[in-house]
Amino acid sequence: MNYSRILGVGSYVPPNVWTNQDLGRLMETSDEWIQQRTGIRQRHWVDLNSETCSSDLAVPAAEKALKAAGVRKEEIDLIIFATLSPDHEFPGTGCFFQEKLGVPGIPALDIRQQCTGFLYGLSIADQFIKTGMYKKILLVGAEVHSKGLERTTHGRDVAVLFGDGAGAAVIGVGEEPRIPKASQIFSTHLHADGRFAKELWVPEPGNAHSGDRLTPERLKDGGHFPKMNGKTVFMHAVKKMPEVLIESLKANEVRLEDVDLFVFHQANLRINEMVAQQLGIPAEKIFNTIDRFGNTTAATIPIGLDEAIQAGKLKPGMLVATAAFGSGFTWASALFRW
Ligand code: ACO
């Protein structure tokens, strides 16, 4: 059996920065409220008058990941595209991205697992590499949230949380396991509980209504904007993230203190602080980016890995643990050696 590894990562955020103060021009909110509750100082949003969409942000992120991996785009066997903010209802955004990257013919698979999208994708990539079906897989998490947010006081509980951005990773065959500190993905752990699907969701457009998928009335009611029961999400996140993280450590007989770096999903700094507190993880071992980018959903973990490399915090041979929680509810973890 092959082992897989992450060969390289890359990320991209659009240039426009929206500070918390800038959001105050659109809605009743304050820098103090947002920072205290979430740790977010700013986020990047695409030009709202442009046609820029998730597949556009994914291209530079993927090109950087390919460069970092030393892999040509022609060598890619499969694209896995994770997003909750697709370019269109169908076809999958992976197809639009494939055309923009210029790699026709290879399979493109979209996955819709929201904040755990990258880890679900990593697990799928890991299985394809392990079976020998594919040798090199391009995994992308990309989001343009800004255009889908209710950017008013009515939607402020959700609107202030999300940023636009993309991250990508090239997954390939891992190093020979007998090599000390061989770079490889040890395991991935996936979960979902659909009983909580409507705690964080976008109801429209949808077939779970009588009549048309979208009507002017339901559009007027704002059913196409995300709805969140923030407290319920928070409560479950701080329980499930430590659980799934421990699950990955136990599966590999690794102690928490052996992990060199924790790169968690970035939904709320307070969630990550509570996870760290519960498990006794020292702050210097956690790499957070939420203050600068907000929640970029499927992109947070690859952006985190890329930023950690740039900051000199992630180096070859390090043991890395990741975990994510989000809409669905879905939650997941992965343990790998860089
Ligand atoms: N600015 C100012 N005031 C606000 C804002 C805002 N942006 N948003 C809400 N408020 C107000 C509310 O109206 C409320 O006012 P009231 O007391 O007069 O009714 C007050 O602030 C408190 O609101 P709460 O909802 O109780 O605030 P809470 O402390 O729960 O924090 C938050 C809200 C930050 C959203 C928190 O619940 C949270 O982070 N939840 C988890 C979010 C999360 O992880 N989402 C995952 C998304 S990932 C994915 O899968 C897509």
Side-chain angles (χ1 to χ4, degrees):
M1 185 181 74
N2 290 328
Y3 279 92
S4 69
R5 66 181 281 215
I6 300 176
L7 301 175
V9 288
S11 64
Y12 176 78
V13 290
N16 287 356
V17 172
W18 283 75
T19 64
N20 294 341
Q21 286 88 347
D22 292 332
L23 293 190
R25 300 201 311 267
L26 305 178
M27 61 192 83
E28 283 172 34
T29 190
S30 68
D31 181 46
E32 193 194 0
W33 192 98
I34 300 172
Q35 286 219 41
Q36 264 181 15
R37 296 285 210 296
T38 71
I40 299 168
R41 284 189 294 112
Q42 61 173 52
R43 74 286 295 138
H44 291 243
W45 280 356
V46 298
D47 176 352
L48 295 168
N49 295 315
S50 75
E51 292 176 0
T52 309
C53 49
S54 298
S55 62
D56 291 315
L57 303 189
V59 172
E63 285 170 346
K64 285 183 194 168
L66 287 163
K67 192 166 175 219
V71 169
R72 288 176 299 113
K73 63 182 180 182
E74 293 77 15
E75 294 176 65
I76 294 296
D77 301 310
L78 168 70
I79 291 167
I80 303 174
F81 201 101
T83 188
L84 71 62
S85 47
D87 295 0
H88 298 281
E89 280 283 295
F90 76 87
T93 305
C95 293
F96 293 105
F97 165 73
Q98 187 214 52
E99 194 268 329
K100 287 173 186 170
L101 190 67
V103 282
I106 61 169
L109 171 69
D110 268 45
I111 55 169
R112 300 288 300 271
Q113 265 56 37
Q114 304 73 246
C115 294
T116 49
F118 185 80
L119 293 183
Y120 266 71
L122 192 67
S123 186
I124 295 167
D126 184 36
Q127 314 314 316
F128 273 127
I129 301 282
K130 276 183 174 150
T131 62
M133 171 97 176
Y134 296 124
K135 295 269 181 294
K136 293 190 175 74
I137 297 173
L138 181 56
L139 168 61
V140 181
E143 307 286 357
V144 171
H145 282 299
S146 53
K147 291 181 178 180
L149 296 169
E150 189 175 12
R151 300 181 302 272
T152 64
T153 300
H154 187 258
R156 65 184 177 178
D157 60 326
V158 176
V160 300
L161 303 178
F162 292 99
D164 301 339
V170 181
I171 321 297
V173 177
E175 289 177 345
E176 171 58 45
R178 277 171 302 191
I179 298 174
K181 301 213 165 181
S183 172
Q184 60 178 267
I185 296 170
F186 293 114
S187 64
T188 54
H189 304 267
L190 311 179
H191 296 277
D193 190 341
R195 287 175 300 174
F196 300 95
K198 293 185 178 176
E199 299 296 334
L200 176 49
W201 69 314
V202 177
E204 312 289 349
N207 286 344
H209 305 287
S210 56
D212 292 337
R213 313 185 68 208
L214 186 60
T215 61
E217 293 72 38
R218 292 204 299 268
L219 198 58
K220 203 163 138 259
D221 288 346
H224 57 301
F225 292 126
K227 315 279 176 255
M228 179 176 72
N229 183 346
K231 282 194 173 29
T232 306
V233 177
F234 195 101
M235 223 171 62
H236 283 79
V238 295
K239 186 164 177 284
K240 294 299 180 190
M241 280 184 48
E243 257 178 43
V244 76
L245 186 69
I246 295 297
E247 186 184 339
S248 72
L249 300 181
K250 279 195 175 149
N252 296 286
E253 297 178 359
V254 166
R255 293 174 311 163
L256 191 83
E257 49 273 34
D258 295 332
V259 176
D260 298 303
L261 193 68
F262 296 84
V263 181
F264 294 137
H265 171 54
Q266 306 287 302
N268 184 324
L269 188 64
R270 279 164 58 217
I271 292 177
N272 290 359
E273 285 173 351
M274 283 177 77
V275 171
Q277 199 184 9
Q278 285 177 65
L279 297 177
I281 303 170
E284 63 273 14
K285 279 196 174 183
I286 302 184
F287 191 78
N288 287 314
T289 56
I290 191 161
D291 59 323
R292 289 177 291 149
F293 304 124
N295 181 352
T296 56
T297 309
T300 62
I301 291 175
I303 289 178
L305 294 172
D306 193 31
E307 290 283 320
I309 294 169
Q310 310 307 327
K313 301 269 184 196
L314 176 54
K315 299 196 178 100
M318 280 183 141
L319 188 60
V320 183
T322 73
F325 181 90
S327 158
F329 288 151
T330 56
W331 61 102
S333 64
L335 186 73
F336 51 89
R337 193 171 299 280
W338 193 250

